[in-house]
């Protein structure tokens, strides 16, 4: 037999065996991307507005019983905003302190616990209707926009303040604000309702004592 013919036949046979062996190698199965479990049910625009408005009202009323707001992330990490009860401090109930020890004066509306509620009650409709003593109904025309992220169970608000967009994300526990993230500033603030401990109470008392002396 011609040597060239034998060699050609041998190469052909080896190629078949090689291809067969490759075909037999199992191919890896793609791992499916896990689906994120939603923490709540979706809400319509009107439902999100009504729910947020009630929680904002609850939170501000609860703040009268005492409040501590702590920046846990962002440009002012470690800042405390403390609100004493009226029985504790009367009008001298609001103050903050920075990590470097600098303290300053606050107003009731300077706390996340009440900021949204104050804004809601300050809305005025085109016909002149105001809502100082009631919660405003949903309207797509309000300067405050509210949506609900049902996957993370957070309320997202958008408003324009002095020409700058302000975007906040509210985490809720027990129908009260528990954390507020300022998405533009990059800060997260933990909200704790109730009487401040002795150290936090001293922040407020010391601030006013120094201011009046």
């Amino acid at each position: 037999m011609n040597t060239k013919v034998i060699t050609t036949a041998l190469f052909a046979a080896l190629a078949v065996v090689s291809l067969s062996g490759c075909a037999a190698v199992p191919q890896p199965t793609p791992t499916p991307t896990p689906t994120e479990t939603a923490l709540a049910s979706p809400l319509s625009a009107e439902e999100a507005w009504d729910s947020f408005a009630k929680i904002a009202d609850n939170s501000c009323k609860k703040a009268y019983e005492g409040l501590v707001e702590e920046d846990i992330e962002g440009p002012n990490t470690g800042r405390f905003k403390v609100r004493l009860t009226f029985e504790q401090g009367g009008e001298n109930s609001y103050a903050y302190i920075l990590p470097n020890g600098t303290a300053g004066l606050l107003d009731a509306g300077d706390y996340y616990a009440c900021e949204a509620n104050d804004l809601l009650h300050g809305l005025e409709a085109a016909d002149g209707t105001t809502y100082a003593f009631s919660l405003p109904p949903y309207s797509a025309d309000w300067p405050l926009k509210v949506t609900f992220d049902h996957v993370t169970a957070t309320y997202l608000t958008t408003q324009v303040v002095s020409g700058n967009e302000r975007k906040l994300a509210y985490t809720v526990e027990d129908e009260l604000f528990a954390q507020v993230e300022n998405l533009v500033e990059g800060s997260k603030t933990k909200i704790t309702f109730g009487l401040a401990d002795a150290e936090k109470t001293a922040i407020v008392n010391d601030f006013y004592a120094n201011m009046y002396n």
Side-chain angles (χ1 to χ4, degrees):
M1 181 180 291
N2 190 305
T3 304
K4 183 176 182 180
V5 174
I6 295 175
T7 302
T8 302
L10 180 59
F11 282 152
L14 289 173
V16 171
V17 172
S18 177
L19 290 173
S20 299
C22 290
V25 176
Q27 299 299 310
T29 302
T31 303
T33 302
T35 302
E36 191 172 3
T37 303
L39 298 179
S41 299
L43 297 178
S44 67
E46 185 173 355
E47 289 172 334
W49 175 272
D50 290 343
S51 178
F52 179 80
K54 291 177 182 176
I55 294 168
D57 192 55
N58 292 342
S59 298
C60 194
K61 289 177 179 176
K62 189 69 174 178
Y64 284 95
E65 300 174 17
L67 178 72
V68 175
E69 296 188 352
E70 173 190 1
D71 279 11
I72 58 176
E73 185 177 310
N76 291 313
T77 299
R79 176 182 63 179
F80 287 96
K81 295 189 292 183
V82 182
R83 175 175 178 170
L84 304 182
T85 65
F86 187 81
E87 289 74 20
Q88 287 178 303
E91 297 296 332
N92 301 331
S93 297
Y94 315 99
Y96 71 85
I97 191 168
L98 299 174
N100 64 6
T102 300
L105 183 66
L106 290 174
D107 186 73
D110 293 329
Y111 296 82
Y112 282 126
C114 281
E115 180 185 272
N117 193 57
D118 288 351
L119 180 60
L120 288 165
H121 287 297
L123 293 175
E124 182 176 347
D127 62 1
T129 302
T130 58
Y131 299 91
F133 303 104
S134 62
L135 294 175
Y138 168 75
S139 171
D141 297 327
W142 291 131
L144 174 68
K145 310 300 180 186
V146 178
T147 59
F148 181 68
D149 183 344
H150 73 287
V151 175
T152 59
T154 55
Y155 291 87
L156 307 176
T157 67
T158 302
Q159 58 176 304
V160 177
V161 180
S162 301
N164 298 314
E165 188 175 61
R166 181 175 170 84
K167 299 173 73 71
L168 302 177
Y170 293 79
T171 301
V172 175
E173 293 179 4
D174 299 325
E175 296 300 301
L176 298 170
F177 295 143
Q179 178 179 282
V180 179
E181 181 177 0
N182 187 318
L183 302 177
V184 176
E185 181 184 84
S187 66
K188 290 183 180 179
T189 301
K190 178 183 177 182
I191 300 176
T192 303
F193 294 93
L195 295 175
D197 61 23
E199 180 184 1
K200 303 298 187 303
T201 300
I203 291 172
V204 180
N205 292 335
D206 291 349
F207 169 74
Y208 284 99
N210 292 330
M211 185 173 70
Y212 292 133
N213 288 335

